[in-house]
mmCIF file of all heavy atoms in Angstrom:
data_model
loop_
_atom_site.group_PDB
_atom_site.id
_atom_site.type_symbol
_atom_site.label_atom_id
_atom_site.label_comp_id
_atom_site.label_asym_id
_atom_site.label_seq_id
_atom_site.Cartn_x
_atom_site.Cartn_y
_atom_site.Cartn_z
ATOM 1 N N VAL A 1 198.196 147.314 154.390
ATOM 2 C CA VAL A 1 198.012 147.383 155.852
ATOM 3 C C VAL A 1 196.856 148.336 156.262
ATOM 4 O O VAL A 1 195.977 147.987 157.113
ATOM 5 C CB VAL A 1 199.314 147.698 156.576
ATOM 6 C CG1 VAL A 1 199.037 147.999 158.067
ATOM 7 C CG2 VAL A 1 200.327 146.639 156.359
ATOM 8 N N LEU A 2 196.847 149.389 155.655
ATOM 9 C CA LEU A 2 195.816 150.437 155.903
ATOM 10 C C LEU A 2 194.463 149.946 155.509
ATOM 11 O O LEU A 2 193.456 150.108 156.266
ATOM 12 C CB LEU A 2 196.067 151.835 155.199
ATOM 13 C CG LEU A 2 197.293 152.600 155.744
ATOM 14 C CD1 LEU A 2 197.539 153.795 154.908
ATOM 15 C CD2 LEU A 2 197.119 152.950 157.193
ATOM 16 N N SER A 3 194.318 149.273 154.364
ATOM 17 C CA SER A 3 193.087 148.715 153.889
ATOM 18 C C SER A 3 192.611 147.702 154.878
ATOM 19 O O SER A 3 191.383 147.575 155.195
ATOM 20 C CB SER A 3 193.199 148.178 152.564
ATOM 21 O OG SER A 3 193.603 149.206 151.531
ATOM 22 N N ALA A 4 193.513 146.841 155.332
ATOM 23 C CA ALA A 4 193.140 145.766 156.334
ATOM 24 C C ALA A 4 192.602 146.339 157.596
ATOM 25 O O ALA A 4 191.630 145.915 158.226
ATOM 26 C CB ALA A 4 194.202 144.873 156.585
ATOM 27 N N LEU A 5 193.299 147.413 158.066
ATOM 28 C CA LEU A 5 192.890 148.046 159.370
ATOM 29 C C LEU A 5 191.562 148.708 159.200
ATOM 30 O O LEU A 5 190.684 148.624 160.132
ATOM 31 C CB LEU A 5 193.946 149.086 159.735
ATOM 32 C CG LEU A 5 195.273 148.468 160.288
ATOM 33 C CD1 LEU A 5 196.334 149.552 160.565
ATOM 34 C CD2 LEU A 5 195.044 147.613 161.481
ATOM 35 N N VAL A 6 191.331 149.356 158.045
ATOM 36 C CA VAL A 6 190.012 150.018 157.853
ATOM 37 C C VAL A 6 188.885 148.957 157.686
ATOM 38 O O VAL A 6 187.795 149.209 158.146
ATOM 39 C CB VAL A 6 190.147 150.977 156.561
ATOM 40 C CG1 VAL A 6 188.752 151.424 156.151
ATOM 41 C CG2 VAL A 6 191.093 152.103 156.870
ATOM 42 N N ALA A 7 189.279 147.880 157.040
ATOM 43 C CA ALA A 7 188.202 146.876 156.799
ATOM 44 C C ALA A 7 187.862 145.898 157.922
ATOM 45 O O ALA A 7 186.895 145.171 157.887
ATOM 46 C CB ALA A 7 188.574 146.062 155.518
ATOM 47 N N VAL A 8 188.766 145.912 159.013
ATOM 48 C CA VAL A 8 188.606 144.908 159.990
ATOM 49 C C VAL A 8 187.225 144.937 160.711
ATOM 50 O O VAL A 8 186.582 143.936 160.946
ATOM 51 C CB VAL A 8 189.816 144.866 161.034
ATOM 52 C CG1 VAL A 8 189.829 146.132 161.818
ATOM 53 C CG2 VAL A 8 189.742 143.647 161.803
ATOM 54 N N ILE A 9 186.864 146.195 161.092
ATOM 55 C CA ILE A 9 185.598 146.294 161.816
ATOM 56 C C ILE A 9 184.388 145.976 160.899
ATOM 57 O O ILE A 9 183.562 145.115 161.336
ATOM 58 C CB ILE A 9 185.462 147.722 162.424
ATOM 59 C CG1 ILE A 9 186.589 148.073 163.343
ATOM 60 C CG2 ILE A 9 184.101 147.897 163.144
ATOM 61 C CD1 ILE A 9 186.666 147.115 164.531
ATOM 62 N N PRO A 10 184.291 146.550 159.745
ATOM 63 C CA PRO A 10 183.220 146.168 158.895
ATOM 64 C C PRO A 10 183.175 144.635 158.493
ATOM 65 O O PRO A 10 182.129 143.982 158.427
ATOM 66 C CB PRO A 10 183.390 146.960 157.573
ATOM 67 C CG PRO A 10 184.138 148.155 158.041
ATOM 68 C CD PRO A 10 185.111 147.602 159.136
ATOM 69 N N ALA A 11 184.351 144.026 158.460
ATOM 70 C CA ALA A 11 184.536 142.628 158.075
ATOM 71 C C ALA A 11 183.955 141.799 159.231
ATOM 72 O O ALA A 11 183.243 140.809 158.982
ATOM 73 C CB ALA A 11 185.936 142.335 157.774
ATOM 74 N N ILE A 12 184.356 142.180 160.463
ATOM 75 C CA ILE A 12 183.813 141.432 161.678
ATOM 76 C C ILE A 12 182.258 141.523 161.736
ATOM 77 O O ILE A 12 181.611 140.572 162.016
ATOM 78 C CB ILE A 12 184.473 141.947 162.932
ATOM 79 C CG1 ILE A 12 185.972 141.530 162.984
ATOM 80 C CG2 ILE A 12 183.784 141.327 164.181
ATOM 81 C CD1 ILE A 12 186.729 142.225 164.081
ATOM 82 N N TRP A 13 181.744 142.769 161.425
ATOM 83 C CA TRP A 13 180.301 142.942 161.454
ATOM 84 C C TRP A 13 179.637 142.120 160.396
ATOM 85 O O TRP A 13 178.584 141.540 160.676
ATOM 86 C CB TRP A 13 180.026 144.447 161.247
ATOM 87 C CG TRP A 13 178.531 144.737 161.261
ATOM 88 C CD1 TRP A 13 177.714 144.900 162.325
ATOM 89 C CD2 TRP A 13 177.742 144.935 160.030
ATOM 90 N NE1 TRP A 13 176.408 145.127 161.864
ATOM 91 C CE2 TRP A 13 176.391 145.176 160.481
ATOM 92 C CE3 TRP A 13 177.992 144.909 158.668
ATOM 93 C CZ2 TRP A 13 175.413 145.402 159.597
ATOM 94 C CZ3 TRP A 13 176.922 145.133 157.815
ATOM 95 C CH2 TRP A 13 175.663 145.360 158.264
ATOM 96 N N LEU A 14 180.223 142.069 159.153
ATOM 97 C CA LEU A 14 179.605 141.261 158.131
ATOM 98 C C LEU A 14 179.607 139.809 158.428
ATOM 99 O O LEU A 14 178.610 139.022 158.223
ATOM 100 C CB LEU A 14 180.320 141.527 156.800
ATOM 101 C CG LEU A 14 180.018 142.812 156.123
ATOM 102 C CD1 LEU A 14 180.968 142.994 154.877
ATOM 103 C CD2 LEU A 14 178.638 142.944 155.594
ATOM 104 N N VAL A 15 180.706 139.368 158.986
ATOM 105 C CA VAL A 15 180.805 137.881 159.384
ATOM 106 C C VAL A 15 179.775 137.615 160.425
ATOM 107 O O VAL A 15 179.144 136.566 160.431
ATOM 108 C CB VAL A 15 182.256 137.545 159.796
ATOM 109 C CG1 VAL A 15 182.274 136.182 160.525
ATOM 110 C CG2 VAL A 15 183.171 137.658 158.643
ATOM 111 N N GLY A 16 179.673 138.465 161.434
ATOM 112 C CA GLY A 16 178.726 138.192 162.544
ATOM 113 C C GLY A 16 177.288 138.264 162.013
ATOM 114 O O GLY A 16 176.454 137.410 162.460
ATOM 115 N N ARG A 17 176.947 139.104 161.083
ATOM 116 C CA ARG A 17 175.508 139.167 160.564
ATOM 117 C C ARG A 17 175.266 137.921 159.784
ATOM 118 O O ARG A 17 174.223 137.307 159.937
ATOM 119 C CB ARG A 17 175.403 140.367 159.660
ATOM 120 C CG ARG A 17 173.927 140.603 159.252
ATOM 121 C CD ARG A 17 173.751 141.764 158.314
ATOM 122 N NE ARG A 17 174.372 141.571 157.081
ATOM 123 C CZ ARG A 17 174.167 142.335 155.996
ATOM 124 N NH1 ARG A 17 173.497 143.513 156.189
ATOM 125 N NH2 ARG A 17 174.814 142.073 154.866
ATOM 126 N N GLU A 18 176.198 137.482 158.978
ATOM 127 C CA GLU A 18 175.976 136.283 158.172
ATOM 128 C C GLU A 18 175.818 135.011 159.085
ATOM 129 O O GLU A 18 174.979 134.133 158.794
ATOM 130 C CB GLU A 18 177.178 136.012 157.187
ATOM 131 C CG GLU A 18 177.042 134.799 156.388
ATOM 132 C CD GLU A 18 175.867 134.865 155.376
ATOM 133 O OE1 GLU A 18 175.295 135.947 155.159
ATOM 134 O OE2 GLU A 18 175.449 133.735 154.934
ATOM 135 N N ARG A 19 176.718 134.899 160.087
ATOM 136 C CA ARG A 19 176.600 133.758 160.923
ATOM 137 C C ARG A 19 175.331 133.771 161.779
ATOM 138 O O ARG A 19 174.720 132.745 162.085
ATOM 139 C CB ARG A 19 177.817 133.679 161.928
ATOM 140 C CG ARG A 19 179.042 133.279 161.185
ATOM 141 C CD ARG A 19 180.241 133.120 162.146
ATOM 142 N NE ARG A 19 180.040 132.083 163.137
ATOM 143 C CZ ARG A 19 180.277 130.793 162.906
ATOM 144 N NH1 ARG A 19 180.712 130.353 161.732
ATOM 145 N NH2 ARG A 19 180.063 129.956 163.844
ATOM 146 N N SER A 20 174.840 134.970 162.230
ATOM 147 C CA SER A 20 173.566 135.032 162.946
ATOM 148 C C SER A 20 172.433 134.670 162.054
ATOM 149 O O SER A 20 171.498 134.021 162.500
ATOM 150 C CB SER A 20 173.375 136.548 163.437
ATOM 151 O OG SER A 20 174.418 136.846 164.337
ATOM 152 N N ARG A 21 172.519 135.103 160.732
ATOM 153 C CA ARG A 21 171.445 134.662 159.816
ATOM 154 C C ARG A 21 171.337 133.145 159.586
ATOM 155 O O ARG A 21 170.219 132.559 159.691
ATOM 156 C CB ARG A 21 171.694 135.410 158.492
ATOM 157 C CG ARG A 21 170.555 135.171 157.483
ATOM 158 C CD ARG A 21 170.829 135.958 156.270
ATOM 159 N NE ARG A 21 172.086 135.594 155.541
ATOM 160 C CZ ARG A 21 172.181 134.527 154.753
ATOM 161 N NH1 ARG A 21 171.060 133.830 154.434
ATOM 162 N NH2 ARG A 21 173.258 134.230 154.181
ATOM 163 N N ARG A 22 172.508 132.504 159.518
ATOM 164 C CA ARG A 22 172.531 131.036 159.371
ATOM 165 C C ARG A 22 172.133 130.411 160.601
ATOM 166 O O ARG A 22 171.349 129.403 160.522
ATOM 167 C CB ARG A 22 173.997 130.618 158.979
ATOM 168 C CG ARG A 22 174.370 131.138 157.535
ATOM 169 C CD ARG A 22 175.630 130.505 157.186
ATOM 170 N NE ARG A 22 176.096 130.973 155.837
ATOM 171 C CZ ARG A 22 177.171 130.486 155.185
ATOM 172 N NH1 ARG A 22 178.035 129.695 155.817
ATOM 173 N NH2 ARG A 22 177.510 130.963 153.996
ATOM 174 N N ALA A 23 172.500 130.920 161.735
ATOM 175 C CA ALA A 23 172.102 130.266 163.014
ATOM 176 C C ALA A 23 170.610 130.385 163.172
ATOM 177 O O ALA A 23 169.926 129.458 163.698
ATOM 178 C CB ALA A 23 172.829 130.978 164.188
ATOM 179 N N GLY A 24 170.043 131.554 162.778
ATOM 180 C CA GLY A 24 168.529 131.672 162.815
ATOM 181 C C GLY A 24 167.817 130.682 162.006
ATOM 182 O O GLY A 24 166.783 130.088 162.394
ATOM 183 N N ARG A 25 168.350 130.411 160.746
ATOM 184 C CA ARG A 25 167.703 129.466 159.895
ATOM 185 C C ARG A 25 167.760 128.007 160.492
ATOM 186 O O ARG A 25 166.809 127.217 160.427
ATOM 187 C CB ARG A 25 168.444 129.470 158.513
ATOM 188 C CG ARG A 25 168.067 130.662 157.671
ATOM 189 C CD ARG A 25 168.748 130.569 156.365
ATOM 190 N NE ARG A 25 168.426 131.682 155.463
ATOM 191 C CZ ARG A 25 168.903 131.868 154.206
ATOM 192 N NH1 ARG A 25 169.821 131.010 153.811
ATOM 193 N NH2 ARG A 25 168.588 132.920 153.541
ATOM 194 N N ARG A 26 168.969 127.748 161.034
ATOM 195 C CA ARG A 26 169.057 126.365 161.693
ATOM 196 C C ARG A 26 168.146 126.277 162.911
ATOM 197 O O ARG A 26 167.463 125.152 163.067
ATOM 198 C CB ARG A 26 170.528 126.123 162.102
ATOM 199 C CG ARG A 26 171.601 125.951 161.058
ATOM 200 C CD ARG A 26 172.811 125.327 161.586
ATOM 201 N NE ARG A 26 173.460 126.306 162.498
ATOM 202 C CZ ARG A 26 174.340 127.243 162.167
ATOM 203 N NH1 ARG A 26 174.717 127.327 160.929
ATOM 204 N NH2 ARG A 26 174.918 127.941 163.083
ATOM 205 N N ASN A 27 168.024 127.237 163.735
ATOM 206 C CA ASN A 27 167.119 127.207 164.813
ATOM 207 C C ASN A 27 165.669 127.020 164.427
ATOM 208 O O ASN A 27 164.843 126.317 164.983
ATOM 209 C CB ASN A 27 167.255 128.427 165.755
ATOM 210 C CG ASN A 27 168.617 128.447 166.480
ATOM 211 O OD1 ASN A 27 169.193 127.463 166.633
ATOM 212 N ND2 ASN A 27 169.094 129.686 166.785
ATOM 213 N N LEU A 28 165.283 127.776 163.342
ATOM 214 C CA LEU A 28 163.883 127.731 162.801
ATOM 215 C C LEU A 28 163.646 126.313 162.277
ATOM 216 O O LEU A 28 162.620 125.755 162.556
ATOM 217 C CB LEU A 28 163.789 128.750 161.769
ATOM 218 C CG LEU A 28 162.283 128.793 161.110
ATOM 219 C CD1 LEU A 28 161.259 129.047 162.137
ATOM 220 C CD2 LEU A 28 162.270 129.851 159.979
ATOM 221 N N ALA A 29 164.593 125.777 161.566
ATOM 222 C CA ALA A 29 164.356 124.415 161.005
ATOM 223 C C ALA A 29 164.254 123.380 162.120
ATOM 224 O O ALA A 29 163.507 122.451 162.025
ATOM 225 C CB ALA A 29 165.475 124.116 160.049
ATOM 226 N N SER A 30 165.075 123.604 163.140
ATOM 227 C CA SER A 30 165.058 122.722 164.338
ATOM 228 C C SER A 30 163.736 122.768 165.035
ATOM 229 O O SER A 30 163.204 121.693 165.418
ATOM 230 C CB SER A 30 166.166 123.036 165.244
ATOM 231 O OG SER A 30 166.152 122.192 166.453
ATOM 232 N N ARG A 31 163.232 123.962 165.217
ATOM 233 C CA ARG A 31 161.942 124.111 165.925
ATOM 234 C C ARG A 31 160.822 123.541 165.033
ATOM 235 O O ARG A 31 159.850 122.873 165.585
ATOM 236 C CB ARG A 31 161.586 125.559 166.195
ATOM 237 C CG ARG A 31 162.437 126.123 167.321
ATOM 238 C CD ARG A 31 161.825 127.501 167.821
ATOM 239 N NE ARG A 31 161.775 128.456 166.766
ATOM 240 C CZ ARG A 31 162.816 129.294 166.512
ATOM 241 N NH1 ARG A 31 163.888 129.281 167.274
ATOM 242 N NH2 ARG A 31 162.723 130.261 165.614
ATOM 243 N N GLU A 32 160.832 123.751 163.724
ATOM 244 C CA GLU A 32 159.792 123.232 162.869
ATOM 245 C C GLU A 32 159.814 121.597 162.956
ATOM 246 O O GLU A 32 158.809 120.971 162.926
ATOM 247 C CB GLU A 32 160.002 123.649 161.444
ATOM 248 C CG GLU A 32 159.691 125.110 161.263
ATOM 249 C CD GLU A 32 159.897 125.597 159.859
ATOM 250 O OE1 GLU A 32 160.467 124.804 159.101
ATOM 251 O OE2 GLU A 32 159.470 126.677 159.506
ATOM 252 N N THR A 33 161.007 121.085 162.904
ATOM 253 C CA THR A 33 161.142 119.675 163.048
ATOM 254 C C THR A 33 160.671 119.073 164.395
ATOM 255 O O THR A 33 160.043 118.050 164.473
ATOM 256 C CB THR A 33 162.565 119.171 162.848
ATOM 257 O OG1 THR A 33 163.020 119.675 161.579
ATOM 258 C CG2 THR A 33 162.737 117.631 162.851
ATOM 259 N N GLU A 34 160.970 119.852 165.386
ATOM 260 C CA GLU A 34 160.592 119.420 166.813
ATOM 261 C C GLU A 34 159.190 119.522 167.069
ATOM 262 O O GLU A 34 158.552 118.587 167.721
ATOM 263 C CB GLU A 34 161.383 120.286 167.861
ATOM 264 C CG GLU A 34 161.155 119.851 169.284
ATOM 265 C CD GLU A 34 161.983 120.819 170.227
ATOM 266 O OE1 GLU A 34 162.782 121.587 169.747
ATOM 267 O OE2 GLU A 34 161.750 120.637 171.398
ATOM 268 N N PHE A 35 158.461 120.538 166.578
ATOM 269 C CA PHE A 35 157.156 120.785 166.885
ATOM 270 C C PHE A 35 156.205 120.413 165.736
ATOM 271 O O PHE A 35 155.010 120.727 165.785
ATOM 272 C CB PHE A 35 156.913 122.272 167.295
ATOM 273 C CG PHE A 35 157.635 122.644 168.532
ATOM 274 C CD1 PHE A 35 158.752 123.408 168.453
ATOM 275 C CD2 PHE A 35 157.179 122.136 169.790
ATOM 276 C CE1 PHE A 35 159.419 123.776 169.596
ATOM 277 C CE2 PHE A 35 157.877 122.519 170.934
ATOM 278 C CZ PHE A 35 158.939 123.362 170.825
ATOM 279 N N ARG A 36 156.736 119.778 164.716
ATOM 280 C CA ARG A 36 155.869 119.382 163.602
ATOM 281 C C ARG A 36 154.847 118.331 164.069
ATOM 282 O O ARG A 36 155.301 117.292 164.558
ATOM 283 C CB ARG A 36 156.724 118.848 162.452
ATOM 284 C CG ARG A 36 155.880 118.423 161.202
ATOM 285 C CD ARG A 36 156.824 117.915 160.148
ATOM 286 N NE ARG A 36 157.722 119.047 159.739
ATOM 287 C CZ ARG A 36 158.982 118.742 159.256
ATOM 288 N NH1 ARG A 36 159.439 117.519 159.233
ATOM 289 N NH2 ARG A 36 159.815 119.720 158.915
ATOM 290 N N PRO A 37 153.572 118.545 163.863
ATOM 291 C CA PRO A 37 152.622 117.625 164.353
ATOM 292 C C PRO A 37 152.725 116.220 163.645
ATOM 293 O O PRO A 37 152.983 116.211 162.417
ATOM 294 C CB PRO A 37 151.292 118.236 164.041
ATOM 295 C CG PRO A 37 151.539 119.275 162.971
ATOM 296 C CD PRO A 37 152.873 119.725 163.251
ATOM 297 N N ILE A 38 152.615 115.191 164.312
ATOM 298 C CA ILE A 38 152.744 113.909 163.717
ATOM 299 C C ILE A 38 151.306 113.476 163.314
ATOM 300 O O ILE A 38 150.333 113.471 164.053
ATOM 301 C CB ILE A 38 153.226 112.865 164.791
ATOM 302 C CG1 ILE A 38 154.646 113.286 165.213
ATOM 303 C CG2 ILE A 38 153.228 111.480 164.186
ATOM 304 C CD1 ILE A 38 155.206 112.419 166.332
ATOM 305 N N ASP A 39 151.245 113.096 162.059
ATOM 306 C CA ASP A 39 149.938 112.701 161.439
ATOM 307 C C ASP A 39 149.519 111.419 162.119
ATOM 308 O O ASP A 39 150.292 110.438 162.239
ATOM 309 C CB ASP A 39 150.002 112.514 159.987
ATOM 310 C CG ASP A 39 150.224 113.852 159.236
ATOM 311 O OD1 ASP A 39 149.831 114.934 159.835
ATOM 312 O OD2 ASP A 39 150.769 113.821 158.129
ATOM 313 N N PRO A 40 148.309 111.338 162.580
ATOM 314 C CA PRO A 40 147.850 110.026 163.234
ATOM 315 C C PRO A 40 147.820 108.926 162.075
ATOM 316 O O PRO A 40 147.523 109.251 160.933
ATOM 317 C CB PRO A 40 146.427 110.315 163.635
ATOM 318 C CG PRO A 40 145.977 111.530 162.858
ATOM 319 C CD PRO A 40 147.235 112.313 162.605
#
């Protein structure tokens, strides 16, 4: 129980950082697809 209580804040921070990193990759890929110039 003590270990879980001590780890809860760092665990939430780690989960948030990982999800933010993945969301950033998805947004970047979406922008690249959206604004990729179409070859004539």
Side-chain angles (χ1 to χ4, degrees):
V1 171
L2 291 176
S3 299
L5 291 175
V6 170
V8 67
I9 299 301
I12 292 173
W13 178 80
L14 286 173
V15 168
R17 188 181 70 170
E18 180 63 20
R19 288 182 63 81
S20 297
R21 184 176 63 84
R22 293 186 178 183
R25 286 182 178 178
R26 287 195 299 269
N27 291 335
L28 179 60
S30 177
R31 286 196 299 270
E32 289 178 349
T33 303
E34 181 179 356
F35 297 106
R36 183 178 298 151
I38 300 175
D39 294 333

